[in-house]
Amino acid sequence: MDKLSRKTALVTGSSRGIGRATAQRLAAEGALVAVHYATNEDAAQETIELIEKDGGRAFGVRAELGVPGDVHALFLGLERGLKERTGGTTLDIVVNNAAVTTPAGVQPEDVTPDEFDRLFAVNAKAPFFIVQRALPLLPDGGRIINISSGLTRVANPDQVAYSMTKGAIEQITLHFARHLAPRGITVNSVAPGITNNGGPVFDIPEAVAQMAQLSAFKRVGEAVDVANVVTFLATHEARWITGAFIDASGGTLLG
Ligand code: NDP
């Protein structure tokens, strides 16, 4: 506990799912967390309340990613929130977690150019410009963690366009890791497998049983399984890991 006291963190898409669990874990270690969301204000507020109930600190930032002015809007709210609470705008930890997926059952033949552009705008372009915009706020020893997916290593034709965006976010990791190493800033990718994000499919026992077979441990991941990995990467103890692809899929990639 308290491995991140006096640190500040931004977790994009932390109103729900893996992002929420990550915001909770970072806050439990003492970080002040900016809970970012697109539209679901009630869910973001619930994340903040869960954090505060456990004695942590958090504030909400609304900004839809993938639209013009998205990163500017995000950082306006972020900097305001940080300034109010810390007197400055230092941002120690950036977690690029928010993403959209291809709707279930869309074959590669049916992906439209608009859908393709939206996937890239939210999942790849926004994280790139978030990192770029965060650079002046990140102190030496800062942390950038990009949430990828096991689908950059396993074929799933229905998710080809989504997986391409995750390939792109892994490139952000690779190249910025080199670029920021002189400042002691680490940049890593974390790749979840199927993870219970509270979505409706996880209420269907037969579907869960089927998905569980993909993991070497024969269960679906819980959001906190991934959040724990992200939180470790955010600590000082993880300072020797950079540019890495961390498989947080419960052995799904073992085949
Ligand atoms: P969820 O779908 O549960 O939550 C998505 C979050 O991102 C929400 O906070 C949502 O905000 C936000 N968000 C979505 N679209 C936008 C947008 N256009 N602009 C801003 N914020 C947006 O996500 P998961 O927990 O399932 O996934 C988290 C990460 O993990 C993603 O990067 C995903 O690709 C990756 N991943 C997830 C897997 C899984 O099985 N769950 C497997 C592999 C990778 P709001 O609540 O306001 O809509």
Side-chain angles (χ1 to χ4, degrees):
M1 286 301 174
D2 286 345
K3 286 188 176 157
L4 299 173
S5 59
R6 291 185 303 283
K7 303 288 187 198
T8 57
L10 164 67
V11 183
T12 67
S14 48
S15 46
R16 300 184 272 122
I18 293 168
R20 170 184 279 181
T22 301
Q24 287 182 271
R25 286 288 294 111
L26 294 174
E29 292 293 347
L32 167 66
V33 181
V35 173
H36 161 263
Y37 63 103
T39 53
N40 201 336
E41 189 164 3
D42 288 348
Q45 190 53 39
E46 203 179 307
T47 302
I48 294 168
E49 283 165 13
L50 287 166
I51 288 171
E52 290 176 341
K53 186 169 65 65
D54 288 340
R57 293 185 309 147
F59 61 94
V61 180
R62 177 181 191 141
E64 186 181 348
L65 301 176
V67 298
D70 53 358
V71 175
H72 182 65
L74 167 60
F75 276 78
L76 271 185
L78 173 69
E79 290 183 345
R80 192 184 310 121
L82 289 174
K83 218 171 251 172
E84 279 169 15
R85 289 163 184 82
T86 68
T89 55
T90 299
L91 178 63
D92 299 283
I93 301 156
V94 177
V95 183
N96 270 314
N97 168 79
V100 285
T101 51
T102 315
V106 175
Q107 299 293 301
E109 290 80 357
D110 299 327
V111 175
T112 65
D114 282 351
E115 178 61 13
F116 185 93
D117 285 348
R118 177 164 161 72
L119 286 163
F120 266 84
V122 178
N123 298 4
K125 185 177 178 185
F128 175 86
F129 285 102
I130 287 170
V131 170
Q132 185 192 67
R133 179 68 181 75
L135 292 182
L137 311 185
L138 277 162
D140 289 0
R143 297 281 184 266
I144 298 170
I145 298 143
N146 296 316
I147 306 302
S148 181
S149 165
L151 286 177
T152 60
R153 302 293 191 277
V154 172
N156 179 346
D158 288 5
Q159 293 292 338
V160 56
Y162 165 79
S163 303
M164 287 173 73
T165 70
K166 293 302 188 180
I169 206 167
E170 290 177 14
Q171 293 302 308
I172 298 176
T173 295
L174 182 68
H175 298 280
F176 274 100
R178 168 72 77 200
H179 189 52
L180 299 176
R183 294 173 53 195
I185 296 170
T186 68
V187 191
N188 290 293
S189 297
V190 172
I194 293 178
T195 308
N196 184 348
N197 60 7
V201 72
F202 293 97
D203 292 331
I204 305 170
E206 300 75 28
V208 173
Q210 207 175 357
M211 292 187 285
Q213 294 309 310
L214 296 172
S215 154
F217 300 123
K218 304 301 175 203
R219 68 170 174 86
V220 299
E222 294 301 323
V224 72
D225 293 328
V226 180
N228 285 337
V229 177
V230 175
T231 302
F232 170 67
L233 289 171
T235 66
H236 183 63
E237 284 148 327
R239 63 193 174 277
W240 206 235
I241 304 173
T242 197
F245 169 87
I246 311 279
D247 172 353
S249 72
T252 301
L253 303 183
L254 296 175

